[in-house]
Amino acid sequence: MPGKQILIVDDEMGIRELLSEILEDEGYDIKLAENADQARQLRNQFRPDLVLLDIWMPDCDGVSLLKEWANGGQLTMPVVMMSGHATIDTAVEATRIGAIDFLEKPIGLQKLLSTVSRAIKANVTQANSELSLSSLGRAQAVHELKRQLELVQQLKTPVLLLGEPGVGFDSCARFLHHANTPFVAPEQVERALDAPAELLQQAQNGLLFLREIGRLPSRAQHGLLQVLAKLEKFNIRLVCATTRSLAELMQDRGFDAGLFSTISVLQIPVPPLRTHREDVPDLANQIMDRLVEERKVPPRRFGVAALNALRNHDWPGNLEQLRNLVATVAVTAVGEEVALAEVNRLLAPYAMQQTLGCGEALDLPLREARDIFERQYFEHHIKLENGNMSRVAEKVGLERTHLYRKLKQLGIRFSKRTLEE
């Protein structure tokens, strides 16, 4: 895709110049870095559409730089690793951290061009706003989650993720996904399971992620059982998630006992945000930086007092609530620095809910108080219906076009794919 920016990081001048000449002839805009320090500086200045990163460099190896970007929330672009003598373990480690491919030196012309084209195309088409698992935090609760996922990463057994709404199931599923294989995550699980054969074809040799399986009707459960029966044949790793407790599922007579037994062999709980609230300031900054990088909002940063308020909040909606709040304040903030009052205004409805209507939210102008209630109301129903906008529209009594217009007005994000439902 001509015009796309590629950052080449390699300590060998001959390699840099050769790759640069080839890719510039293809119409790409090339930036060069001879070491990790220069790569950091360039990454801080702009978000490249692709990074070609050498593994072995004198000051800091490429895997360490990749891990640094991942932990700092800067791994928002595809990275292809390069090396002439890397071990399989090194390549696997880079993939686990977030690299999407690997080029072995000497690099063939066609291999280079096809890999670059595929990586950039994937970056353009991927509609994924999830934070990577590496950037979810440094607290003990997150470390334990990573440890458990690493233990099952190479297995083929289905995994069941358990947790509250908005905890980051997608990030966990993507962590278990192997690069350069299909990642299939249907927006409407119930509808997708009506055609299990089609779902199996789409996910063949890859990972199938079903976001909420705890409330499937009997027909969809039957479809899931058909998928489970053919996972091995199609070489698919299945990851399911539910916000219902195991006790609820076991006691639900409408939930097939055989299905429950099969999908719950490997259970991994995903911690709510309040159990690692010390990570909230970093997460908020990462989300804001990504919005600014993608030019969705003007330059914005949180003030210290605003970050403290975010840290002290309980986050009943977890990461999804944090993302929505940051996206809203990024659009509505008056200046470049987000002030405490602007954060408190958006946190007020949750505080009001917890204190039975007492507090500063009652002192807001009517229009602001109404917007706060409506935002909370619609977010509640979208979560309740697992993003099915047809059911949300029906439940709240609005025509769908009016609903979409209202959500956009309130700054509530929703998948564009739901427009086609």
Side-chain angles (χ1 to χ4, degrees):
M1 292 185 179
K4 296 295 182 180
Q5 292 185 318
I6 299 177
L7 171 60
I8 300 172
V9 187
D10 198 301
D11 64 317
E12 297 183 50
M13 183 172 64
I15 297 291
R16 293 197 306 273
E17 291 180 348
L18 178 61
L19 295 178
S20 177
E21 288 176 8
I22 293 172
L23 294 173
E24 282 182 343
D25 285 345
E26 295 296 316
Y28 295 107
D29 180 10
I30 306 300
K31 304 291 183 184
L32 300 176
E34 64 178 285
N35 53 44
D37 188 49
Q38 288 184 6
R40 289 189 194 98
Q41 293 178 30
L42 288 169
R43 176 62 188 85
N44 290 336
Q45 292 171 16
F46 77 107
R47 175 190 178 275
D49 296 291
L50 172 65
V51 177
L52 298 178
L53 177 58
D54 188 31
I55 289 182
W56 302 111
M57 295 184 294
D59 62 331
C60 171
D61 66 90
V63 174
S64 296
L65 181 59
L66 183 73
K67 188 179 296 184
E68 180 184 312
W69 280 339
N71 290 336
Q74 289 191 301
L75 194 57
T76 58
M77 66 288 178
V79 175
V80 173
M81 307 302 292
M82 305 183 295
S83 179
H85 45 270
T87 65
I88 293 177
D89 288 344
T90 303
V92 169
E93 171 68 4
T95 300
R96 187 188 67 80
I97 295 169
I100 70 165
D101 211 337
F102 178 84
L103 287 171
E104 187 174 2
K105 297 177 181 177
I107 304 169
L109 176 62
Q110 291 306 315
K111 176 67 173 175
L112 171 67
L113 295 180
S114 62
T115 299
V116 166
S117 176
R118 185 171 60 250
I120 290 182
K121 193 173 296 183
N123 184 44
V124 171
T125 58
Q126 184 182 30
N128 172 35
S129 61
E130 285 290 322
L131 294 163
S132 69
L133 190 67
S134 299
S135 61
L136 282 188
R138 303 176 185 178
Q140 183 57 41
V142 180
H143 280 301
E144 177 59 21
L145 172 62
K146 293 176 185 176
R147 186 188 71 80
Q148 292 188 48
L149 289 170
E150 285 170 351
L151 288 174
V152 304
Q153 190 173 31
Q154 301 305 321
L155 303 179
K156 284 292 184 180
T157 311
V159 172
L160 179 62
L161 303 173
L162 303 164
E164 299 175 4
V167 290
F169 290 139
D170 288 65
S171 299
C172 298
R174 289 191 179 277
F175 182 83
L176 296 173
H177 172 236
H178 294 293
N180 302 316
T181 65
F183 181 89
V184 178
E187 282 288 323
Q188 302 306 321
V189 174
E190 182 181 330
R191 179 181 297 177
L193 288 171
D194 282 342
E198 182 180 333
L199 204 52
L200 287 164
Q201 289 290 343
Q202 291 174 1
Q204 186 167 10
N205 298 318
L207 186 144
L208 174 60
F209 174 46
L210 303 180
R211 288 187 173 86
E212 176 58 79
I213 51 83
R215 295 178 173 83
L216 294 176
S218 58
R219 187 175 66 176
Q221 290 182 44
H222 180 69
L224 181 50
L225 282 168
Q226 290 181 272
V227 168
L228 283 162
K230 296 184 178 180
L231 290 177
E232 186 175 351
K233 177 181 178 181
F234 285 83
N235 189 30
I236 295 171
R237 178 68 181 276
L238 176 66
V239 178
C240 298
T242 182
T243 56
R244 297 185 72 184
S245 68
L246 289 177
E248 279 185 272
L249 288 173
M250 291 176 67
Q251 294 168 11
D252 186 349
R253 294 184 179 181
F255 200 88
D256 187 281
L259 174 58
F260 174 78
S261 176
T262 304
I263 64 173
S264 61
V265 172
L266 285 180
Q267 308 161 14
I268 296 182
V270 183
L273 190 52
R274 63 181 173 277
T275 64
H276 58 110
R277 66 175 75 232
E278 61 266 42
D279 292 322
V280 170
D282 282 343
L283 290 169
N285 283 329
Q286 285 180 43
I287 296 166
M288 182 67 83
D289 290 344
R290 183 173 298 187
L291 291 170
V292 173
E293 264 187 2
E294 294 172 352
R295 297 181 176 85
K296 293 180 178 178
V297 298
R300 292 275 190 266
R301 67 177 186 278
F302 285 101
V304 175
L307 287 175
N308 284 335
L310 296 177
R311 177 190 174 111
N312 292 328
H313 186 59
D314 277 343
W315 298 106
N318 295 294
L319 286 168
E320 189 61 33
Q321 182 192 356
L322 177 61
R323 265 195 299 268
N324 286 337
L325 183 142
V326 174
T328 301
V329 80
V331 172
T332 60
V334 175
E336 185 173 331
E337 181 172 290
V338 177
L340 173 61
E342 292 171 311
V343 166
N344 281 341
R345 177 176 59 82
L346 296 177
L347 292 176
Y350 302 99
M352 180 169 60
Q353 183 183 44
Q354 293 168 2
T355 57
L356 301 179
C358 299
E360 62 183 282
L362 296 179
D363 297 325
L364 292 172
L366 176 60
R367 182 174 179 178
E368 287 188 27
R370 185 181 62 225
D371 285 349
I372 287 170
F373 169 76
E374 288 184 345
R375 188 178 295 112
Q376 183 180 0
Y377 174 80
F378 286 116
E379 286 176 349
H380 167 76
H381 283 289
I382 290 171
K383 285 178 184 175
L384 203 62
E385 300 300 336
N386 299 311
N388 186 316
M389 305 305 279
S390 296
R391 289 205 295 256
V392 172
E394 183 179 348
K395 197 159 186 183
V396 303
L398 289 179
E399 194 273 330
R400 286 176 65 187
T401 303
H402 186 194
L403 173 63
Y404 293 132
R405 190 181 302 119
K406 191 68 175 175
L407 295 180
K408 187 174 182 180
Q409 175 189 336
L410 293 170
I412 298 174
R413 298 186 304 162
F414 54 91
S415 171
K416 291 181 180 178
R417 280 172 284 184
T418 59
L419 291 169
E420 301 172 358
E421 294 169 5

